[in-house]
């Protein structure tokens, strides 16, 4: 009888130990992975060689770390295929959220939908996509408002008359079209302002330099060049300087290099996009979504831009205008 009792006790102890081991194993397999996954925010932008996108990355990463998250910062270089692979990386890492400045209004939709299907929310910054209900948020600068400011300043600098050229951004980027339309919503109201050339330089400085050189040769009487971003404005300004011409150049972004040029009486104006503010907003909204499971803001959000010219250029730092 004693032997039977001891055997039964041993069996019970073994069963309890096995159950405890199984429970611990389950916790390790699922519970340990969950905290790591829930604390990772993946930040994906175009190349940080462009200071605007570097500012986005830095601001988003700093805000995420301040809120207690780990970060993985990646660049898609405006390549939708590379972006798709990076979103797959975020999915495989079980990221809590993705902050994305996308690689194409149409080309990005499928990858963002994959993330949504994997229950990973995406928060877009700077560039919209051509579909709603896929990303949780699309937070962009008010490009139409900003281009209106830029167009007004350019017309004023031109004295409301004369020949000018326009450099536009990537045709696949909705911002390129919105900015161009915003410029022309103002400039086309002046009958004595004549656009003699309009070419895409794909947001690229070297391409803008080359195309501006060609434009200057074909149209020697040009008085001004308005560019869809500051990178192209810098390329245009380099071409103008090389040609030793007195031509007005204006851009869009508020980049440090262009602000510096404005202070040196080079490029005349730019329109500042609050890159850091937008990125911080995206991370804050991602944090709220992770904690509550729902969005606390509408999907489409816009933040007003600010004109930068010699009057306020000294107060601009890292895509922000200091309060006066």
């Amino acid at each position: 009888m004693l032997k039977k009792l001891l055997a039964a006790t041993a069996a019970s102890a073994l069963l309890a130990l096995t159950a405890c081991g199984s429970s611990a194993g389950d916790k390790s397999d699922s519970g340990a992975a969950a905290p790591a996954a829930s604390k990772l925010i993946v930040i994906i932008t175009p190349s940080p060689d462009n200071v605007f996108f570097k500012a986005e990355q830095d601001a988003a990463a700093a805000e995420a770390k301040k809120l207690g998250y780990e970060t993985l910062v990646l660049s898609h270089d405006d390549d939708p295929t590379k972006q798709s692979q990076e979103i797959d990386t975020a999915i495989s890492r079980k990221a809590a959220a993705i902050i994305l400045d996308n690689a194409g209004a149409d080309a990005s939709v499928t990858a963002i939908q994959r993330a949504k299907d994997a229950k990973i929310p995406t928060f877009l910054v700077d560039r919209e996509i051509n579909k709603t209900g896929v990303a949780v948020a699309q937070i962009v600068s008010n490009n139409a408002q900003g281009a209106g400011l830029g167009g007004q300043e350019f017309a004023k600098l031109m004295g409301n008359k004369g020949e000018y050229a326009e450099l536009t951004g990537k045709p696949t980027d909705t911002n390129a079209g919105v900015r161009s339309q915003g410029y022309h919503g103002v400039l086309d109201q002046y009958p004595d302002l004549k656009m003699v050339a309009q070419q895409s330089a794909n947001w690229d400085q070297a391409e803008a330099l080359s195309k501006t050189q060609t434009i200057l040769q074909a149209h020697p009487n040009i008085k001004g060049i308005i560019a869809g971003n500051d990178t192209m404005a810098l390329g245009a300004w380099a071409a103008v300087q090389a040609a030793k011409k007195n031509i007005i150049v204006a851009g869009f972004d508020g980049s440090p290099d262009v602000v510096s040029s404005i202070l040196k009486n080079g490029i005349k104006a730019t329109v500042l996009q609050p890159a850091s503010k937008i990125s911080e907003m995206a991370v804050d909204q991602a944090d709220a979504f992770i904690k509550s499971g729902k969005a606390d803001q509408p999907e489409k959000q816009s933040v007003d831009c600010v004109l930068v010219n010699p009057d306020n250029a000294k107060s601009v730092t890292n895509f922000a205008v200091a309060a006066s």
Side-chain angles (χ1 to χ4, degrees):
M1 182 71 181
L2 182 58
K3 286 183 179 180
K4 287 183 179 180
L5 183 59
L6 290 171
T9 302
S12 297
L14 180 61
L15 181 62
L17 181 61
T18 303
C20 288
S22 175
S23 174
D26 289 346
K27 185 175 181 181
S28 175
D29 290 342
S30 59
S38 68
K39 300 305 290 183
L40 175 66
I41 289 181
V42 177
I43 301 159
I44 308 172
T45 75
S47 172
D49 289 345
N50 183 317
V51 291
F52 181 85
F53 302 127
K54 181 70 164 60
E56 284 184 339
Q57 289 184 353
D58 290 348
E63 187 71 4
K65 288 172 183 175
K66 186 175 81 174
L67 293 171
Y69 293 92
E70 297 175 3
T71 61
L72 174 62
V73 180
L74 303 170
S75 303
H76 54 59
D77 301 322
D78 281 311
D79 179 347
T81 300
K82 187 175 180 182
Q83 173 183 261
S84 181
Q85 294 167 347
E86 291 171 346
I87 288 176
D88 284 341
T89 296
I91 294 170
S92 68
R93 293 280 299 271
K94 296 181 171 58
I98 297 169
I99 309 297
L100 174 66
D101 191 338
N102 73 79
D106 293 311
S108 302
V109 173
T110 300
I112 296 169
Q113 181 66 57
R114 274 203 315 279
K116 182 181 180 182
D117 293 342
K119 302 191 183 308
I120 298 174
T122 300
F123 296 79
L124 301 181
V125 295
D126 182 42
R127 302 171 179 175
E128 296 178 310
I129 55 172
N130 290 331
K131 190 170 183 178
T132 57
V134 182
V136 175
Q138 301 192 48
I139 311 170
V140 300
S141 300
N142 190 337
N143 283 277
Q145 171 260 353
L149 292 176
Q152 290 167 11
E153 184 72 2
F154 186 71
K156 177 182 172 183
L157 289 164
M158 292 281 291
N160 301 332
K161 63 183 179 181
E163 295 183 358
Y164 74 94
E166 180 187 7
L167 296 175
T168 63
K170 283 182 178 292
T172 56
D173 187 339
T174 54
N175 287 345
V178 172
R179 290 177 194 175
S180 183
Q181 289 169 15
Y183 286 157
H184 286 280
V186 174
L187 301 179
D188 293 354
Q189 296 179 40
Y190 297 95
D192 293 331
L193 275 174
K194 183 181 179 183
M195 184 175 71
V196 294
Q198 182 187 51
Q199 293 192 30
S200 170
N202 293 298
W203 305 132
D204 185 77
Q205 186 168 341
E207 189 171 346
L209 168 61
S210 174
K211 290 192 172 177
T212 300
Q213 288 173 331
T214 301
I215 289 170
L216 294 178
Q217 290 171 1
H219 304 281
N221 296 322
I222 274 182
K223 278 182 58 181
I225 299 169
I226 190 165
N229 79 344
D230 279 350
T231 307
M232 295 187 298
L234 288 165
W237 179 243
V240 167
Q241 287 183 299
K244 294 183 170 53
K245 287 181 173 287
N246 183 22
I247 293 175
I248 293 157
V249 176
F252 197 118
D253 275 341
S255 74
D257 286 342
V258 167
V259 171
S260 176
S261 180
I262 290 171
L263 289 170
K264 296 173 183 174
N265 197 31
I267 293 173
K268 299 302 182 187
T270 184
V271 176
L272 183 142
Q273 293 191 87
S276 298
K277 178 180 178 180
I278 288 172
S279 297
E280 289 166 0
M281 287 172 62
V283 173
D284 290 343
Q285 291 179 31
D287 177 55
F289 187 92
I290 291 163
K291 291 173 178 174
S292 69
K294 60 183 180 181
D296 60 359
Q297 297 291 331
E299 179 178 339
K300 291 290 189 89
Q301 303 166 52
S302 67
V303 180
D304 281 351
C305 301
V306 179
L307 177 71
V308 177
N309 60 20
D311 295 337
N312 65 348
K314 286 182 179 178
S315 64
V316 176
T317 304
N318 197 28
F319 296 93
V321 181
S324 57

